[in-house]
Amino acid sequence: MSQQQDPRTARTRAKLRRALLEECTSRALAEVSVTSLVRRAGVGRATFYLHYADLEALAVDACADVVRDAVDSLHAWRGTPDPAVPPPALFSFFEGLAPHAGLYRELLRPGGGGPLGHVLHQDLRARSRTERTLAGAPEPDLVATAVAATFTGVLADWLHGLIEATPAEITHRVWRLLVTLHRTPLP
């Protein structure tokens, strides 16, 4: 059994992720110490380093659910997408970011960079490419890259206050952008 499949490993990682999210509700990631984190999680310091190289690696892992939620929310429609009606899951995604927005801002820099931005771009690009390829749509690599870059950049800039919009407004704006990218005729 690999370390990833071991239930003890899963429980320990879950404790560490939960403890980090709790720590980051009252302070920035840069202010969190490994000591306070392992104390809150109820694990030893050596155990922390057995699972994660540093706090940033743990933070990206703890925020991986937001990446999965983003990818799923963008693909929560069937048939021909209506640019005026975004999937409800996309609105739920944007609305649900508030509790840990500070941590997301630390890991997702303006423009979409940063460790969480990299993971989001990679996962979204792979999912978009797969779906375009299965549908026989033209230019799956190009459009998948454009969709991933657009969404990641808009999300990051919105979280950083560079785009002023409510969750409902950003949901509609980003949805129209992405539908337009998918519908743009390519040579």
Side-chain angles (χ1 to χ4, degrees):
M1 180 181 303
S2 76
Q3 187 178 11
Q4 288 288 61
Q5 296 169 332
D6 185 343
R8 293 170 298 174
T9 297
R11 281 191 303 272
T12 300
R13 287 180 178 240
K15 283 182 186 179
L16 289 166
R17 287 190 301 266
R18 214 173 15 260
L20 179 80
L21 292 174
E22 290 168 3
E23 287 282 324
C24 288
T25 59
S26 60
R27 65 178 104 175
L29 178 61
E31 297 171 6
V32 174
S33 70
V34 172
T35 302
S36 65
L37 179 78
V38 297
R39 188 176 303 124
R40 183 182 288 264
V43 301
R45 190 176 183 88
T47 300
F48 170 83
Y49 287 109
L50 178 65
H51 295 281
Y52 297 101
D54 54 28
L55 285 171
E56 186 176 273
L58 169 59
V60 171
D61 187 38
C63 295
D65 285 344
V66 80
V67 170
R68 283 187 289 278
D69 290 348
V71 172
D72 289 345
S73 70
L74 287 173
H75 294 90
W77 54 272
R78 293 292 163 243
T80 304
D82 180 351
V85 183
L90 186 58
F91 172 70
S92 296
F93 167 75
F94 278 106
E95 192 174 55
L97 292 173
H100 300 293
L103 180 59
Y104 301 144
R105 279 190 294 273
E106 288 186 71
L107 299 172
L108 184 61
R109 298 190 181 65
L116 190 59
H118 175 73
V119 172
L120 177 57
H121 185 276
Q122 185 177 9
D123 288 2
L124 186 53
R125 184 184 185 284
R127 177 87 171 262
S128 294
R129 185 186 185 292
T130 298
E131 290 194 6
R132 284 192 70 81
T133 300
L134 289 172
E139 299 283 358
D141 291 320
L142 178 67
V143 175
T145 296
V147 165
T150 298
F151 184 79
T152 304
V154 168
L155 172 62
D157 286 359
W158 180 71
L159 282 168
H160 283 277
L162 301 174
I163 300 171
E164 290 193 26
T166 66
E169 291 167 341
I170 198 66
T171 298
H172 280 85
R173 290 177 187 174
V174 79
W175 181 246
R176 282 192 307 269
L177 274 172
L178 297 176
V179 169
T180 300
L181 280 173
H182 277 283
R183 289 186 175 171
T184 301
L186 298 168

